[in-house]
Amino acid sequence: MGYAQLVIGPAGSGKSTYCSSLYEHCVTSRRRIDIVNLDPAAEKFDYPVAMDIRELISLDDAMEELNLGPNGGLVYCMEHLEDNLDDWLEEELQHYLDDDYLVFDCPGQIELFTHIPFLKNFVAHLQRRNFTVCAVYLLDSQFVTDVTKYISGCMACLSAMVQLELPHVNILSKMDLVPNKKEVEEYLNPEARVLVSELNRNMAPKFAKLNKALAEVVQ
C-alpha cells in the first residue's frame, strides 16, 4: 500500500512552496517522499521532481497546437493525462514500492477540483493501485481577514471536499504576510450567529436569508 497527498488550492495559494517545505522537512527528519508535478504550466521547482506531467504534455504545446487559451489548454492537458492513466502514469508508478509516499503538486485552476471530474478519476486510479490518498487544500490566509472572503474560501474548500470525497485538511498559507494575526484567528472557530451578524452588516437586507443559510453550512 502506498500513500499520496493531493495538494490543491487556488492559483498563488502557495502549493509549490508547501511541497518544497514538506520535502525539506522530510529530508531533515530522514524520511523519504517523492513529489510529482501535475501542473503542465510549471516552469521551475524548489524541490526534485520525481514525475512530471510535462514529459507527457505541456501547456505551451497544447495552446500552440490546438489554438487554445490558458484555461482551455490546461483542461485539455488534464484530459490528456486522464486518457493516459493506464499508460504513462502506470509506467511511472512501477518505480515505487508499496510503502512509498507521493505528493502531487496540482494546478491552481479551481474548476479542476470543484466540478471537472479529472481529479476524482485520478484519485480513483490511485486507489485501485492500493494508494491511501488524502487532500490538502491551501488557502491564502489573506483571504480570511473579512467575513465575505472567509465565506467564499469555505465554499471553495467545501466544493473540493464534496467532489473528491477524500480525507481532507485545510491549511491557511502565507501567514507571514498577514499584518494582524488576530484578524485571522477570529475565523478559525467562528460561531454561525457571529458570521450572520457580520454578513448582514456588509450586505443588503435582501440577502439576510442567504447569509443565515451560508453561515449554517459553515457551522
Side-chain angles (χ1 to χ4, degrees):
M1 180 186 294
Y3 303 90
Q5 269 189 44
L6 279 187
V7 183
I8 59 178
S13 59
K15 296 182 295 297
S16 294
T17 301
Y18 166 83
C19 290
S20 177
S21 298
L22 182 62
Y23 178 81
E24 290 177 4
H25 169 73
C26 289
V27 169
T28 302
S29 57
R30 298 182 180 179
R31 298 176 64 183
R32 175 182 168 178
I33 64 168
D34 294 286
I35 303 182
V36 180
N37 172 47
L38 287 186
D39 186 354
E43 295 181 351
K44 61 180 181 179
F45 306 94
D46 293 329
Y47 54 78
V49 180
M51 284 188 268
D52 193 342
I53 186 178
R54 296 175 306 171
E55 296 175 358
L56 177 67
I57 189 171
S58 73
L59 179 59
D60 287 342
D61 289 343
M63 290 172 60
E64 182 179 344
E65 293 179 15
L66 300 172
N67 196 28
L68 296 170
N71 285 340
L74 184 66
V75 171
Y76 176 83
C77 290
M78 295 298 101
E79 291 174 343
H80 185 70
L81 172 58
E82 185 176 358
D83 291 338
N84 286 273
L85 291 178
D86 291 328
D87 299 317
W88 180 79
L89 183 63
E90 198 64 28
E91 182 179 343
E92 293 290 333
L93 290 176
Q94 290 177 2
H95 302 300
Y96 297 93
L97 303 175
D98 288 343
D99 59 348
D100 281 342
Y101 198 120
L102 301 181
V103 177
F104 293 89
D105 189 357
C106 298
Q109 272 65 16
I110 196 167
E111 60 267 28
L112 294 176
F113 40 85
T114 56
H115 61 275
I116 292 177
F118 158 70
L119 271 183
K120 187 171 185 176
N121 296 336
F122 183 82
V123 167
H125 185 88
L126 292 176
Q127 291 172 332
R128 286 194 295 271
R129 286 289 308 267
N130 293 322
F131 274 85
T132 298
V133 188
C134 73
V136 176
Y137 191 105
L138 270 72
L139 187 66
D140 190 331
S141 55
Q142 297 173 94
F143 273 87
V144 293
T145 53
D146 69 63
V147 66
T148 52
K149 291 179 181 178
Y150 172 77
I151 292 290
S152 176
C154 283
M155 293 299 102
C157 295
L158 179 60
S159 180
M161 192 186 302
V162 171
Q163 168 81 351
L164 295 176
E165 297 181 310
L166 289 174
H168 186 106
V169 178
N170 292 320
I171 295 179
L172 290 176
S173 61
K174 302 186 180 181
M175 280 297 294
D176 56 315
L177 301 180
V178 177
N180 186 355
K181 302 292 192 292
K182 288 185 178 179
E183 289 182 347
V184 174
E185 291 174 3
E186 291 176 359
Y187 294 107
L188 294 183
N189 291 292
E191 295 184 16
R193 59 179 180 81
V194 176
L195 293 176
V196 171
S197 176
E198 291 189 30
L199 284 169
N200 288 340
R201 283 201 302 270
N202 284 277
M203 300 173 72
K206 66 180 180 180
F207 293 111
K209 289 184 179 179
L210 176 63
N211 292 340
K212 184 174 183 294
L214 287 172
E216 289 174 352
V217 169
V218 173
Q219 185 75 24

PDB file of all heavy atoms in Angstrom, residues 160-179:
ATOM      1  N   ALA A 160     -14.509  21.358  -3.141  1.00  0.00           N
ATOM      2  CA  ALA A 160     -13.459  20.368  -3.428  1.00  0.00           C
ATOM      3  C   ALA A 160     -13.628  19.132  -2.559  1.00  0.00           C
ATOM      4  O   ALA A 160     -13.440  17.994  -3.016  1.00  0.00           O
ATOM      5  CB  ALA A 160     -12.088  20.996  -3.197  1.00  0.00           C
ATOM      6  N   MET A 161     -13.991  19.329  -1.294  1.00  0.00           N
ATOM      7  CA  MET A 161     -14.167  18.207  -0.368  1.00  0.00           C
ATOM      8  C   MET A 161     -15.277  17.273  -0.834  1.00  0.00           C
ATOM      9  O   MET A 161     -15.130  16.040  -0.831  1.00  0.00           O
ATOM     10  CB  MET A 161     -14.486  18.760   1.023  1.00  0.00           C
ATOM     11  CG  MET A 161     -14.426  17.745   2.139  1.00  0.00           C
ATOM     12  SD  MET A 161     -14.973  18.442   3.734  1.00  0.00           S
ATOM     13  CE  MET A 161     -13.826  19.806   3.917  1.00  0.00           C
ATOM     14  N   VAL A 162     -16.388  17.874  -1.274  1.00  0.00           N
ATOM     15  CA  VAL A 162     -17.529  17.075  -1.739  1.00  0.00           C
ATOM     16  C   VAL A 162     -17.194  16.362  -3.049  1.00  0.00           C
ATOM     17  O   VAL A 162     -17.561  15.203  -3.264  1.00  0.00           O
ATOM     18  CB  VAL A 162     -18.765  17.978  -1.906  1.00  0.00           C
ATOM     19  CG1 VAL A 162     -19.898  17.239  -2.596  1.00  0.00           C
ATOM     20  CG2 VAL A 162     -19.228  18.498  -0.544  1.00  0.00           C
ATOM     21  N   GLN A 163     -16.478  17.048  -3.922  1.00  0.00           N
ATOM     22  CA  GLN A 163     -16.142  16.470  -5.229  1.00  0.00           C
ATOM     23  C   GLN A 163     -15.181  15.297  -5.091  1.00  0.00           C
ATOM     24  O   GLN A 163     -15.359  14.261  -5.727  1.00  0.00           O
ATOM     25  CB  GLN A 163     -15.521  17.552  -6.127  1.00  0.00           C
ATOM     26  CG  GLN A 163     -14.862  17.031  -7.397  1.00  0.00           C
ATOM     27  CD  GLN A 163     -15.838  16.739  -8.515  1.00  0.00           C
ATOM     28  OE1 GLN A 163     -17.045  16.764  -8.318  1.00  0.00           O
ATOM     29  NE2 GLN A 163     -15.322  16.467  -9.691  1.00  0.00           N
ATOM     30  N   LEU A 164     -14.169  15.418  -4.258  1.00  0.00           N
ATOM     31  CA  LEU A 164     -13.114  14.405  -4.188  1.00  0.00           C
ATOM     32  C   LEU A 164     -13.439  13.267  -3.234  1.00  0.00           C
ATOM     33  O   LEU A 164     -12.919  12.162  -3.380  1.00  0.00           O
ATOM     34  CB  LEU A 164     -11.789  15.066  -3.776  1.00  0.00           C
ATOM     35  CG  LEU A 164     -11.214  16.066  -4.775  1.00  0.00           C
ATOM     36  CD1 LEU A 164      -9.952  16.718  -4.207  1.00  0.00           C
ATOM     37  CD2 LEU A 164     -10.896  15.386  -6.099  1.00  0.00           C
ATOM     38  N   GLU A 165     -14.250  13.534  -2.205  1.00  0.00           N
ATOM     39  CA  GLU A 165     -14.637  12.501  -1.233  1.00  0.00           C
ATOM     40  C   GLU A 165     -13.412  11.825  -0.627  1.00  0.00           C
ATOM     41  O   GLU A 165     -13.286  10.596  -0.616  1.00  0.00           O
ATOM     42  CB  GLU A 165     -15.554  11.475  -1.891  1.00  0.00           C
ATOM     43  CG  GLU A 165     -16.870  12.050  -2.381  1.00  0.00           C
ATOM     44  CD  GLU A 165     -17.772  11.009  -3.011  1.00  0.00           C
ATOM     45  OE1 GLU A 165     -17.303  10.248  -3.889  1.00  0.00           O
ATOM     46  OE2 GLU A 165     -18.938  10.940  -2.620  1.00  0.00           O
ATOM     47  N   LEU A 166     -12.494  12.650  -0.108  1.00  0.00           N
ATOM     48  CA  LEU A 166     -11.252  12.149   0.497  1.00  0.00           C
ATOM     49  C   LEU A 166     -11.098  12.709   1.909  1.00  0.00           C
ATOM     50  O   LEU A 166     -11.683  13.748   2.229  1.00  0.00           O
ATOM     51  CB  LEU A 166     -10.038  12.604  -0.321  1.00  0.00           C
ATOM     52  CG  LEU A 166      -9.807  11.971  -1.682  1.00  0.00           C
ATOM     53  CD1 LEU A 166      -8.648  12.676  -2.380  1.00  0.00           C
ATOM     54  CD2 LEU A 166      -9.511  10.487  -1.549  1.00  0.00           C
ATOM     55  N   PRO A 167     -10.296  12.059   2.752  1.00  0.00           N
ATOM     56  CA  PRO A 167      -9.850  12.741   3.978  1.00  0.00           C
ATOM     57  C   PRO A 167      -9.222  14.071   3.574  1.00  0.00           C
ATOM     58  O   PRO A 167      -8.415  14.121   2.641  1.00  0.00           O
ATOM     59  CB  PRO A 167      -8.819  11.772   4.565  1.00  0.00           C
ATOM     60  CG  PRO A 167      -9.202  10.442   4.017  1.00  0.00           C
ATOM     61  CD  PRO A 167      -9.746  10.700   2.639  1.00  0.00           C
ATOM     62  N   HIS A 168      -9.578  15.147   4.256  1.00  0.00           N
ATOM     63  CA  HIS A 168      -9.323  16.484   3.736  1.00  0.00           C
ATOM     64  C   HIS A 168      -8.798  17.383   4.846  1.00  0.00           C
ATOM     65  O   HIS A 168      -9.383  17.459   5.922  1.00  0.00           O
ATOM     66  CB  HIS A 168     -10.646  17.022   3.177  1.00  0.00           C
ATOM     67  CG  HIS A 168     -10.551  18.344   2.478  1.00  0.00           C
ATOM     68  ND1 HIS A 168     -10.632  18.473   1.114  1.00  0.00           N
ATOM     69  CD2 HIS A 168     -10.394  19.599   2.950  1.00  0.00           C
ATOM     70  CE1 HIS A 168     -10.549  19.741   0.774  1.00  0.00           C
ATOM     71  NE2 HIS A 168     -10.401  20.457   1.877  1.00  0.00           N
ATOM     72  N   VAL A 169      -7.689  18.077   4.563  1.00  0.00           N
ATOM     73  CA  VAL A 169      -7.119  19.019   5.519  1.00  0.00           C
ATOM     74  C   VAL A 169      -7.028  20.384   4.856  1.00  0.00           C
ATOM     75  O   VAL A 169      -6.482  20.513   3.760  1.00  0.00           O
ATOM     76  CB  VAL A 169      -5.710  18.577   5.975  1.00  0.00           C
ATOM     77  CG1 VAL A 169      -5.115  19.593   6.940  1.00  0.00           C
ATOM     78  CG2 VAL A 169      -5.756  17.198   6.624  1.00  0.00           C
ATOM     79  N   ASN A 170      -7.589  21.404   5.502  1.00  0.00           N
ATOM     80  CA  ASN A 170      -7.468  22.776   5.014  1.00  0.00           C
ATOM     81  C   ASN A 170      -6.311  23.468   5.721  1.00  0.00           C
ATOM     82  O   ASN A 170      -6.190  23.388   6.948  1.00  0.00           O
ATOM     83  CB  ASN A 170      -8.756  23.565   5.283  1.00  0.00           C
ATOM     84  CG  ASN A 170      -9.914  23.056   4.452  1.00  0.00           C
ATOM     85  OD1 ASN A 170      -9.753  22.715   3.289  1.00  0.00           O
ATOM     86  ND2 ASN A 170     -11.090  22.995   5.055  1.00  0.00           N
ATOM     87  N   ILE A 171      -5.466  24.148   4.950  1.00  0.00           N
ATOM     88  CA  ILE A 171      -4.297  24.846   5.503  1.00  0.00           C
ATOM     89  C   ILE A 171      -4.337  26.311   5.084  1.00  0.00           C
ATOM     90  O   ILE A 171      -4.503  26.616   3.901  1.00  0.00           O
ATOM     91  CB  ILE A 171      -2.989  24.204   5.009  1.00  0.00           C
ATOM     92  CG1 ILE A 171      -2.854  22.778   5.551  1.00  0.00           C
ATOM     93  CG2 ILE A 171      -1.783  25.048   5.433  1.00  0.00           C
ATOM     94  CD1 ILE A 171      -1.603  22.068   5.081  1.00  0.00           C
ATOM     95  N   LEU A 172      -4.202  27.197   6.065  1.00  0.00           N
ATOM     96  CA  LEU A 172      -4.058  28.620   5.766  1.00  0.00           C
ATOM     97  C   LEU A 172      -2.585  28.905   5.503  1.00  0.00           C
ATOM     98  O   LEU A 172      -1.743  28.708   6.378  1.00  0.00           O
ATOM     99  CB  LEU A 172      -4.560  29.469   6.936  1.00  0.00           C
ATOM    100  CG  LEU A 172      -6.066  29.472   7.168  1.00  0.00           C
ATOM    101  CD1 LEU A 172      -6.407  30.276   8.417  1.00  0.00           C
ATOM    102  CD2 LEU A 172      -6.801  30.043   5.963  1.00  0.00           C
ATOM    103  N   SER A 173      -2.282  29.374   4.300  1.00  0.00           N
ATOM    104  CA  SER A 173      -0.893  29.629   3.917  1.00  0.00           C
ATOM    105  C   SER A 173      -0.579  31.119   3.999  1.00  0.00           C
ATOM    106  O   SER A 173      -1.461  31.958   4.161  1.00  0.00           O
ATOM    107  CB  SER A 173      -0.644  29.115   2.495  1.00  0.00           C
ATOM    108  OG  SER A 173      -1.482  29.794   1.574  1.00  0.00           O
ATOM    109  N   LYS A 174       0.695  31.426   3.881  1.00  0.00           N
ATOM    110  CA  LYS A 174       1.200  32.805   3.838  1.00  0.00           C
ATOM    111  C   LYS A 174       0.842  33.617   5.087  1.00  0.00           C
ATOM    112  O   LYS A 174       0.578  34.818   5.008  1.00  0.00           O
ATOM    113  CB  LYS A 174       0.684  33.516   2.582  1.00  0.00           C
ATOM    114  CG  LYS A 174       1.070  32.807   1.281  1.00  0.00           C
ATOM    115  CD  LYS A 174       0.664  33.615   0.069  1.00  0.00           C
ATOM    116  CE  LYS A 174       1.063  32.898  -1.218  1.00  0.00           C
ATOM    117  NZ  LYS A 174       0.716  33.654  -2.426  1.00  0.00           N
ATOM    118  N   MET A 175       0.837  32.958   6.231  1.00  0.00           N
ATOM    119  CA  MET A 175       0.528  33.667   7.471  1.00  0.00           C
ATOM    120  C   MET A 175       1.552  34.756   7.778  1.00  0.00           C
ATOM    121  O   MET A 175       1.252  35.728   8.480  1.00  0.00           O
ATOM    122  CB  MET A 175       0.463  32.679   8.636  1.00  0.00           C
ATOM    123  CG  MET A 175      -0.846  31.917   8.737  1.00  0.00           C
ATOM    124  SD  MET A 175      -2.279  32.968   9.054  1.00  0.00           S
ATOM    125  CE  MET A 175      -1.904  33.561  10.696  1.00  0.00           C
ATOM    126  N   ASP A 176       2.770  34.598   7.250  1.00  0.00           N
ATOM    127  CA  ASP A 176       3.808  35.617   7.496  1.00  0.00           C
ATOM    128  C   ASP A 176       3.481  36.943   6.819  1.00  0.00           C
ATOM    129  O   ASP A 176       4.062  37.981   7.163  1.00  0.00           O
ATOM    130  CB  ASP A 176       5.167  35.105   7.018  1.00  0.00           C
ATOM    131  CG  ASP A 176       5.143  34.692   5.551  1.00  0.00           C
ATOM    132  OD1 ASP A 176       4.189  34.010   5.141  1.00  0.00           O
ATOM    133  OD2 ASP A 176       6.071  35.066   4.814  1.00  0.00           O
ATOM    134  N   LEU A 177       2.536  36.933   5.857  1.00  0.00           N
ATOM    135  CA  LEU A 177       2.181  38.160   5.148  1.00  0.00           C
ATOM    136  C   LEU A 177       0.967  38.865   5.753  1.00  0.00           C
ATOM    137  O   LEU A 177       0.584  39.936   5.287  1.00  0.00           O
ATOM    138  CB  LEU A 177       1.897  37.851   3.668  1.00  0.00           C
ATOM    139  CG  LEU A 177       3.051  37.217   2.886  1.00  0.00           C
ATOM    140  CD1 LEU A 177       2.629  36.965   1.445  1.00  0.00           C
ATOM    141  CD2 LEU A 177       4.294  38.111   2.927  1.00  0.00           C
ATOM    142  N   VAL A 178       0.369  38.261   6.781  1.00  0.00           N
ATOM    143  CA  VAL A 178      -0.801  38.867   7.418  1.00  0.00           C
ATOM    144  C   VAL A 178      -0.330  39.825   8.505  1.00  0.00           C
ATOM    145  O   VAL A 178       0.308  39.405   9.472  1.00  0.00           O
ATOM    146  CB  VAL A 178      -1.715  37.787   8.028  1.00  0.00           C
ATOM    147  CG1 VAL A 178      -2.895  38.432   8.764  1.00  0.00           C
ATOM    148  CG2 VAL A 178      -2.216  36.854   6.941  1.00  0.00           C
ATOM    149  N   PRO A 179      -0.619  41.111   8.379  1.00  0.00           N
ATOM    150  CA  PRO A 179      -0.113  42.085   9.356  1.00  0.00           C
ATOM    151  C   PRO A 179      -0.742  41.932  10.738  1.00  0.00           C
ATOM    152  O   PRO A 179      -0.082  42.155  11.754  1.00  0.00           O
ATOM    153  CB  PRO A 179      -0.467  43.443   8.738  1.00  0.00           C
ATOM    154  CG  PRO A 179      -1.578  43.155   7.787  1.00  0.00           C
ATOM    155  CD  PRO A 179      -1.353  41.763   7.285  1.00  0.00           C
TER     156      PRO A 179
END
